[in-house]
Amino acid sequence: MDKDYTETAKQTGFPGCIFVNFHSLKVKIIASSAACIILVGVVSNFFLYFYLTSIITEKADSISRLDLASVQNRLNDSLARFENLGVFCASDADVARGMWPSSLGTPREKRDALRAQETLKLYLSTSQVDRHITKLMAFNGSGLTAQAVTKIYSEPADTAKVRALPLFETAQNAGGFGATVDLSVSIYNGADCLALLCPIYDTQDAWIYIEMDMGWLREVIEPYGNDHFFVEAAGAYEDTQTVSENGLVYKIQSAPLRLPRLTLYSRSDVTVLSGSGGRPIVYTVMVVVITSLVAALVLAFLLSSVITRPLGRLMNRIQKIAGNDLSFDPAIERGRDEIAETGRMVNEMSGSIRQLLIETEEMYKKQKNSDIALLQSQVNPHFLYNTLDSIQWMASIQKNTGIMTMTRGLSSLLKNLAKGVGDKITLDNELALLQEYVNIQSIRYMESFSYVNHVPQELRQYKIVKLTLQPLVENAIFHGIAPKEGQGSIMVDAREDGAYLLITIRDDGVGMTPEETETMLRGGRRAAGGLSGIGVSNVNERLRLVYGPECGLFCVSVKGEYTEMTVKIPKEGAEDV
């Protein structure tokens, strides 16, 4: 078994037992793969379930609403026909003429009453709701009645029964010419019915009364299913309300009817969609989880064989490198994937380390030899200083001040050059070294230039890199004053500018063009036979390396007039170094 995944119990004293290393890469791959696949599987299935459920619910609601609207229109059409039948009868002139007399005393009155009854029969026969009409009669306040032939025959007491109905009082209070329709009880058998009362046009206390049985509701609803649609009193249910019945969940939808007291309702079985039938969902999720887990384990073991084994070989190789085994190992370069590429880099690294060790050993040998040569070379500067001191002593005996000045200045400069050029010294010391150099060049050029130092005393305690000013003055002498005919001058000054110290060296020599200035700062010109061999560009580069890119040298020059070099460095006291 892979040692990255398990370890035997030899370390614990229980042979044959195997313990899982939960920190190994293989276990992490298995765990992460299983978790990811299970999470993605469960989340995606739940999302798909709820998404499809929402779509199905939306479509079911839409279909239910369409069916509800269709039933609503048919019911309202039947109510409209029923109401129109009463209005047509009440507005007919023959019916009104038959209800004018208080009795049937004359032949004309009898003919008018018979014509009114025939008219009522005609209206009933042409109505689309005639099969549900159980009573159609006209009556007046004198007890005169005219009735169409219906399922129920007229009785003398019918007029009194109608006037006793609550609907009659409602119709009287309504006033005007219009039908009053409402639920009522039949004057014949007391059953529920739909009753209509409408005052007859151009009469006094004459009415049309119509009864329609509740079969008209069943006739409209039956084709759509009596279990799905039903009519109840308004407000019995709220729209989109859910109700439970016999362990099932129903969603209620409502639609108003022309009759205010009645409302059409539909109910849809949403048991599965509402989650009450959630057991199949649980089974589905369990199947998804188990399937995902199996797929995750298979994938994890495949990844383990592809990734962890090459990584194991790579780790073993790195451990050997840590033990100073820098030999080449071709096994870690098998394949073309990233791990094989890492193996090639490890082999290259071990080869580089091996070569570096060889070079380091040779360097130590060379350094040892150079240290011996350096000890030997230290004799030469001391011999030079002693010789210069002897020359100075002899010049002093012979009272030759020029030779004494040059020798003393040269000795001082050589001693400072021997100490290096990278140290920081005070500006005062830098100016002292510069003065020694100027003294020498003044004798050499037979005092063809004047040197003036205007640096304020309070600024001379700031620090500056050694041998910063000497190459600039040297450049001014060789390339500014020397080519000029006649006497020249060099002036050194300094001032503060915020956090910076600005030191200027100005000469009235031949000057330079902008192109020559740029060439000088880039390193294209150096004083031949100079003291330190350090050019202007070298000074500029040193200042930028020490103080940053915002510092360095800045040059302004006019051809034939002057050149002014400005050194910009931060103000740095003795305590800052």
Side-chain angles (χ1 to χ4, degrees), residues 99-115:
M99 293 294 105
W100 279 343
S102 57
S103 63
L104 301 178
T106 66
R108 183 178 178 178
E109 291 175 345
K110 292 180 180 179
R111 286 196 305 271
D112 290 341
L114 289 174
R115 186 176 292 111

Side-chain angles (χ1 to χ4, degrees), residues 275-302:
S276 300
R279 185 171 296 179
I281 300 175
V282 175
Y283 291 154
T284 302
V285 172
M286 290 178 62
V287 170
V288 170
V289 170
I290 294 173
T291 305
S292 301
L293 181 58
V294 173
L297 292 175
V298 173
L299 177 62
F301 279 107
L302 291 176

